[in-house]
Short mmCIF file of all heavy atoms in Angstrom, two decimals:
data_model
loop_
_atom_site.label_atom_id
_atom_site.label_comp_id
_atom_site.label_asym_id
_atom_site.label_seq_id
_atom_site.Cartn_x
_atom_site.Cartn_y
_atom_site.Cartn_z
N VAL S 140 21.88 56.94 -7.02
CA VAL S 140 22.19 57.51 -5.70
C VAL S 140 22.01 56.45 -4.63
O VAL S 140 22.88 56.25 -3.77
CB VAL S 140 21.31 58.75 -5.42
CG1 VAL S 140 21.40 59.17 -3.96
CG2 VAL S 140 21.71 59.89 -6.33
N GLN S 141 20.90 55.74 -4.68
CA GLN S 141 20.63 54.71 -3.69
C GLN S 141 21.72 53.62 -3.73
O GLN S 141 22.21 53.19 -2.69
CB GLN S 141 19.25 54.09 -3.95
CG GLN S 141 18.81 53.13 -2.88
CD GLN S 141 17.48 52.49 -3.21
OE1 GLN S 141 17.26 52.02 -4.32
NE2 GLN S 141 16.58 52.46 -2.24
N TYR S 142 22.11 53.22 -4.91
CA TYR S 142 23.13 52.18 -5.08
C TYR S 142 24.48 52.64 -4.52
O TYR S 142 25.16 51.89 -3.81
CB TYR S 142 23.26 51.83 -6.57
CG TYR S 142 24.21 50.70 -6.86
CD1 TYR S 142 23.83 49.37 -6.69
CD2 TYR S 142 25.50 50.97 -7.32
CE1 TYR S 142 24.72 48.34 -6.96
CE2 TYR S 142 26.39 49.93 -7.59
CZ TYR S 142 25.99 48.62 -7.41
OH TYR S 142 26.87 47.60 -7.68
N ALA S 143 24.88 53.87 -4.83
CA ALA S 143 26.17 54.39 -4.37
C ALA S 143 26.20 54.51 -2.84
O ALA S 143 27.18 54.13 -2.19
CB ALA S 143 26.46 55.75 -5.01
N TYR S 144 25.14 55.01 -2.25
CA TYR S 144 25.09 55.15 -0.80
C TYR S 144 25.01 53.79 -0.11
O TYR S 144 25.57 53.60 0.97
CB TYR S 144 23.92 56.05 -0.37
CG TYR S 144 24.31 57.51 -0.31
CD1 TYR S 144 24.39 58.28 -1.47
CD2 TYR S 144 24.63 58.11 0.89
CE1 TYR S 144 24.77 59.60 -1.42
CE2 TYR S 144 25.00 59.43 0.96
CZ TYR S 144 25.07 60.18 -0.20
OH TYR S 144 25.46 61.49 -0.15
N LYS S 145 24.32 52.85 -0.74
CA LYS S 145 24.21 51.50 -0.16
C LYS S 145 25.59 50.86 -0.05
O LYS S 145 25.85 50.11 0.88
CB LYS S 145 23.30 50.64 -1.03
CG LYS S 145 22.99 49.29 -0.43
CD LYS S 145 22.02 48.52 -1.31
CE LYS S 145 21.70 47.18 -0.71
NZ LYS S 145 20.79 46.42 -1.57
N SER S 146 26.49 51.18 -0.98
CA SER S 146 27.85 50.61 -0.92
C SER S 146 28.60 51.06 0.33
O SER S 146 29.56 50.42 0.74
CB SER S 146 28.64 51.01 -2.17
OG SER S 146 29.01 52.37 -2.12
N ALA S 147 28.16 52.16 0.93
CA ALA S 147 28.76 52.65 2.17
C ALA S 147 27.86 52.35 3.38
O ALA S 147 27.98 52.98 4.42
CB ALA S 147 29.01 54.15 2.06
N ASN S 148 26.95 51.39 3.19
CA ASN S 148 26.02 50.96 4.25
C ASN S 148 25.09 52.07 4.72
O ASN S 148 24.75 52.15 5.91
CB ASN S 148 26.77 50.36 5.44
CG ASN S 148 27.44 49.07 5.08
OD1 ASN S 148 26.90 48.26 4.34
ND2 ASN S 148 28.65 48.89 5.58
N ILE S 149 24.68 52.95 3.80
CA ILE S 149 23.72 54.00 4.12
C ILE S 149 22.47 53.72 3.30
O ILE S 149 22.52 53.68 2.07
CB ILE S 149 24.29 55.40 3.79
CG1 ILE S 149 25.53 55.67 4.64
CG2 ILE S 149 23.23 56.46 4.02
CD1 ILE S 149 26.27 56.93 4.26
N LYS S 150 21.37 53.53 4.00
CA LYS S 150 20.11 53.23 3.31
C LYS S 150 19.39 54.53 2.99
O LYS S 150 19.23 55.39 3.85
CB LYS S 150 19.22 52.36 4.18
CG LYS S 150 19.75 50.96 4.34
CD LYS S 150 18.81 50.11 5.15
CE LYS S 150 19.40 48.72 5.30
NZ LYS S 150 18.54 47.82 6.02
N LEU S 151 18.98 54.64 1.73
CA LEU S 151 18.20 55.79 1.28
C LEU S 151 16.90 55.29 0.66
O LEU S 151 16.87 54.20 0.10
CB LEU S 151 18.97 56.58 0.22
CG LEU S 151 20.08 57.49 0.69
CD1 LEU S 151 20.76 58.17 -0.48
CD2 LEU S 151 19.55 58.54 1.64
N PRO S 152 15.85 56.09 0.71
CA PRO S 152 14.62 55.72 0.03
C PRO S 152 14.84 55.66 -1.49
O PRO S 152 15.88 56.08 -1.99
CB PRO S 152 13.64 56.83 0.39
CG PRO S 152 14.30 57.67 1.40
CD PRO S 152 15.74 57.35 1.43
N ARG S 153 13.85 55.21 -2.23
CA ARG S 153 14.02 54.91 -3.64
C ARG S 153 13.89 56.12 -4.57
O ARG S 153 14.62 56.24 -5.53
CB ARG S 153 13.00 53.82 -4.05
CG ARG S 153 13.08 53.41 -5.48
CD ARG S 153 14.48 52.86 -5.82
NE ARG S 153 14.59 52.56 -7.23
CZ ARG S 153 14.99 53.42 -8.16
NH1 ARG S 153 15.31 54.65 -7.84
NH2 ARG S 153 15.08 53.07 -9.42
N THR S 154 12.97 57.04 -4.34
CA THR S 154 12.75 58.12 -5.31
C THR S 154 13.50 59.39 -4.92
O THR S 154 13.86 59.58 -3.76
CB THR S 154 11.25 58.45 -5.43
OG1 THR S 154 10.81 59.07 -4.21
CG2 THR S 154 10.42 57.21 -5.74
N ALA S 155 13.69 60.26 -5.91
CA ALA S 155 14.38 61.54 -5.66
C ALA S 155 13.63 62.36 -4.62
O ALA S 155 14.25 62.95 -3.73
CB ALA S 155 14.53 62.32 -6.97
N ALA S 156 12.32 62.41 -4.71
CA ALA S 156 11.53 63.19 -3.74
C ALA S 156 11.68 62.63 -2.33
O ALA S 156 11.82 63.39 -1.36
CB ALA S 156 10.06 63.22 -4.16
N GLN S 157 11.66 61.30 -2.20
CA GLN S 157 11.83 60.70 -0.87
C GLN S 157 13.24 60.94 -0.34
O GLN S 157 13.44 61.18 0.85
CB GLN S 157 11.56 59.19 -0.95
CG GLN S 157 10.12 58.83 -1.20
CD GLN S 157 9.94 57.36 -1.55
OE1 GLN S 157 10.86 56.69 -2.04
NE2 GLN S 157 8.75 56.84 -1.33
N GLN S 158 14.22 60.89 -1.23
CA GLN S 158 15.60 61.15 -0.82
C GLN S 158 15.75 62.60 -0.35
O GLN S 158 16.44 62.88 0.62
CB GLN S 158 16.56 60.83 -1.97
CG GLN S 158 16.66 59.35 -2.26
CD GLN S 158 17.44 59.03 -3.51
OE1 GLN S 158 17.90 59.90 -4.24
NE2 GLN S 158 17.60 57.73 -3.79
N TYR S 159 15.07 63.50 -1.03
CA TYR S 159 15.09 64.92 -0.64
C TYR S 159 14.56 65.08 0.79
O TYR S 159 15.16 65.77 1.61
CB TYR S 159 14.25 65.74 -1.62
CG TYR S 159 14.19 67.21 -1.31
CD1 TYR S 159 15.27 68.05 -1.63
CD2 TYR S 159 13.08 67.79 -0.72
CE1 TYR S 159 15.22 69.41 -1.37
CE2 TYR S 159 13.02 69.14 -0.46
CZ TYR S 159 14.09 69.95 -0.78
OH TYR S 159 14.04 71.29 -0.51
N ARG S 160 13.45 64.41 1.06
CA ARG S 160 12.83 64.52 2.39
C ARG S 160 13.68 63.88 3.48
O ARG S 160 13.58 64.24 4.65
CB ARG S 160 11.44 63.92 2.38
CG ARG S 160 10.41 64.77 1.65
CD ARG S 160 9.00 64.29 1.87
NE ARG S 160 8.73 62.98 1.31
CZ ARG S 160 8.33 62.74 0.06
NH1 ARG S 160 8.16 63.76 -0.76
NH2 ARG S 160 8.10 61.52 -0.35
N SER S 161 14.54 62.93 3.12
CA SER S 161 15.33 62.23 4.14
C SER S 161 16.71 62.85 4.35
O SER S 161 17.52 62.31 5.09
CB SER S 161 15.47 60.75 3.78
OG SER S 161 16.30 60.59 2.66
N THR S 162 16.99 63.97 3.69
CA THR S 162 18.29 64.62 3.87
C THR S 162 18.14 65.95 4.60
O THR S 162 17.07 66.53 4.63
CB THR S 162 18.99 64.88 2.51
OG1 THR S 162 18.15 65.70 1.70
CG2 THR S 162 19.29 63.57 1.80
N LYS S 163 19.26 66.41 5.14
CA LYS S 163 19.29 67.70 5.83
C LYS S 163 19.55 68.80 4.79
O LYS S 163 20.47 68.68 3.97
CB LYS S 163 20.42 67.68 6.86
CG LYS S 163 20.61 68.97 7.59
CD LYS S 163 21.81 68.88 8.51
CE LYS S 163 22.13 70.25 9.06
NZ LYS S 163 23.45 70.30 9.65
N ARG S 164 18.74 69.84 4.79
CA ARG S 164 18.91 70.95 3.84
C ARG S 164 20.22 71.68 4.08
O ARG S 164 20.56 71.97 5.23
CB ARG S 164 17.81 72.00 4.01
CG ARG S 164 16.43 71.74 3.59
CD ARG S 164 16.20 71.24 2.19
NE ARG S 164 15.71 69.89 2.31
CZ ARG S 164 16.35 68.80 1.94
NH1 ARG S 164 17.48 68.84 1.36
NH2 ARG S 164 15.84 67.62 2.12
N ILE S 165 20.92 71.98 3.01
CA ILE S 165 22.13 72.78 3.09
C ILE S 165 22.12 73.79 1.94
O ILE S 165 21.57 73.49 0.89
CB ILE S 165 23.42 71.92 3.02
CG1 ILE S 165 23.43 71.05 1.76
CG2 ILE S 165 23.61 71.10 4.26
CD1 ILE S 165 24.75 70.39 1.48
N PRO S 166 22.71 74.96 2.14
CA PRO S 166 22.76 75.92 1.04
C PRO S 166 23.74 75.44 -0.03
O PRO S 166 24.71 74.74 0.26
CB PRO S 166 23.25 77.21 1.71
CG PRO S 166 23.78 76.82 3.04
CD PRO S 166 23.24 75.48 3.39
N MET S 167 23.48 75.82 -1.27
CA MET S 167 24.34 75.42 -2.38
C MET S 167 25.78 75.89 -2.17
O MET S 167 26.72 75.25 -2.61
CB MET S 167 23.80 75.98 -3.70
CG MET S 167 22.49 75.35 -4.14
SD MET S 167 22.65 73.61 -4.56
CE MET S 167 23.50 73.72 -6.12
N SER S 168 25.95 77.00 -1.46
CA SER S 168 27.29 77.52 -1.21
C SER S 168 28.09 76.63 -0.26
O SER S 168 29.30 76.77 -0.15
CB SER S 168 27.20 78.94 -0.64
OG SER S 168 26.48 78.91 0.58
N ARG S 169 27.42 75.71 0.44
CA ARG S 169 28.08 74.82 1.40
C ARG S 169 28.22 73.39 0.89
O ARG S 169 28.51 72.49 1.67
CB ARG S 169 27.28 74.80 2.71
CG ARG S 169 27.15 76.13 3.38
CD ARG S 169 28.24 76.29 4.36
NE ARG S 169 28.17 77.60 4.98
CZ ARG S 169 28.59 77.83 6.18
NH1 ARG S 169 29.07 76.86 6.90
NH2 ARG S 169 28.54 79.04 6.67
N LEU S 170 28.00 73.16 -0.39
CA LEU S 170 28.09 71.81 -0.94
C LEU S 170 29.46 71.20 -0.71
O LEU S 170 30.48 71.86 -0.89
CB LEU S 170 27.83 71.83 -2.45
CG LEU S 170 26.39 71.78 -2.92
CD1 LEU S 170 26.33 71.95 -4.42
CD2 LEU S 170 25.72 70.49 -2.51
N LYS S 171 29.46 69.92 -0.31
CA LYS S 171 30.69 69.14 -0.18
C LYS S 171 30.55 67.92 -1.06
O LYS S 171 29.43 67.49 -1.37
CB LYS S 171 30.90 68.70 1.27
CG LYS S 171 31.21 69.81 2.23
CD LYS S 171 31.46 69.24 3.61
CE LYS S 171 31.78 70.34 4.60
NZ LYS S 171 31.95 69.81 5.95
N THR S 172 31.67 67.32 -1.42
CA THR S 172 31.59 66.12 -2.23
C THR S 172 30.78 65.06 -1.49
O THR S 172 30.92 64.90 -0.28
CB THR S 172 32.99 65.57 -2.57
OG1 THR S 172 33.70 65.35 -1.36
CG2 THR S 172 33.77 66.52 -3.44
N GLY S 173 29.92 64.39 -2.23
CA GLY S 173 29.05 63.38 -1.65
C GLY S 173 27.67 63.89 -1.29
O GLY S 173 26.76 63.10 -1.04
N ASP S 174 27.48 65.21 -1.25
CA ASP S 174 26.15 65.76 -0.99
C ASP S 174 25.25 65.52 -2.20
O ASP S 174 25.74 65.29 -3.31
CB ASP S 174 26.23 67.27 -0.71
CG ASP S 174 26.85 67.59 0.64
OD1 ASP S 174 26.87 66.69 1.52
OD2 ASP S 174 27.31 68.73 0.83
N LEU S 175 23.96 65.59 -1.98
CA LEU S 175 23.00 65.37 -3.05
C LEU S 175 22.43 66.70 -3.53
O LEU S 175 22.18 67.60 -2.73
CB LEU S 175 21.87 64.47 -2.57
CG LEU S 175 22.30 63.08 -2.07
CD1 LEU S 175 21.09 62.29 -1.59
CD2 LEU S 175 23.04 62.33 -3.15
N ILE S 176 22.23 66.80 -4.84
CA ILE S 176 21.63 67.99 -5.44
C ILE S 176 20.32 67.54 -6.08
O ILE S 176 20.29 66.57 -6.84
CB ILE S 176 22.53 68.62 -6.51
CG1 ILE S 176 23.92 68.87 -5.95
CG2 ILE S 176 21.93 69.92 -7.00
CD1 ILE S 176 24.93 69.30 -6.99
N PHE S 177 19.25 68.27 -5.78
CA PHE S 177 17.92 67.90 -6.26
C PHE S 177 17.41 68.92 -7.27
O PHE S 177 17.62 70.12 -7.11
CB PHE S 177 16.96 67.80 -5.07
CG PHE S 177 17.38 66.74 -4.09
CD1 PHE S 177 18.17 67.05 -3.00
CD2 PHE S 177 16.99 65.42 -4.27
CE1 PHE S 177 18.56 66.08 -2.10
CE2 PHE S 177 17.39 64.44 -3.37
CZ PHE S 177 18.17 64.77 -2.29
N PHE S 178 16.72 68.41 -8.29
CA PHE S 178 16.28 69.24 -9.41
C PHE S 178 14.81 68.98 -9.73
O PHE S 178 14.27 67.92 -9.43
CB PHE S 178 17.08 68.89 -10.67
CG PHE S 178 18.57 68.98 -10.52
CD1 PHE S 178 19.30 67.88 -10.10
CD2 PHE S 178 19.24 70.15 -10.81
CE1 PHE S 178 20.68 67.95 -9.98
CE2 PHE S 178 20.62 70.23 -10.68
CZ PHE S 178 21.34 69.13 -10.27
N LYS S 179 14.23 69.96 -10.41
CA LYS S 179 12.95 69.76 -11.10
C LYS S 179 13.25 70.01 -12.57
O LYS S 179 13.48 71.14 -12.99
CB LYS S 179 11.88 70.72 -10.61
CG LYS S 179 10.56 70.48 -11.33
CD LYS S 179 9.41 71.24 -10.74
CE LYS S 179 8.15 70.85 -11.50
NZ LYS S 179 6.97 71.35 -10.87
N THR S 180 13.26 68.92 -13.34
CA THR S 180 13.68 69.02 -14.75
C THR S 180 12.52 69.00 -15.72
O THR S 180 12.70 69.36 -16.88
CB THR S 180 14.62 67.84 -15.10
OG1 THR S 180 13.93 66.61 -14.87
CG2 THR S 180 15.89 67.90 -14.27
#
């Protein structure tokens, strides 16, 4: 995720948890291409 976003000049933190905290919450029903989905696996 960090690598893909960096290609568009968008800096993201390194871990999934940090990336979660740095994004705006959206409902799953409003997902658009390019949005991030976070899991507990």
Side-chain angles (χ1 to χ4, degrees):
V140 168
Q141 187 183 47
Y142 184 80
Y144 271 79
K145 187 177 181 181
S146 73
N148 294 321
I149 298 172
K150 291 183 181 182
L151 283 179
R153 181 59 185 89
T154 69
Q157 291 168 336
Q158 291 172 357
Y159 179 78
R160 287 191 295 272
S161 70
T162 59
K163 177 184 171 195
R164 288 308 113 248
I165 55 169
M167 291 294 286
S168 60
R169 300 267 177 151
L170 274 175
K171 292 183 179 177
T172 56
D174 288 340
L175 301 179
I176 308 171
F177 299 93
F178 305 90
K179 181 171 183 170
T180 59

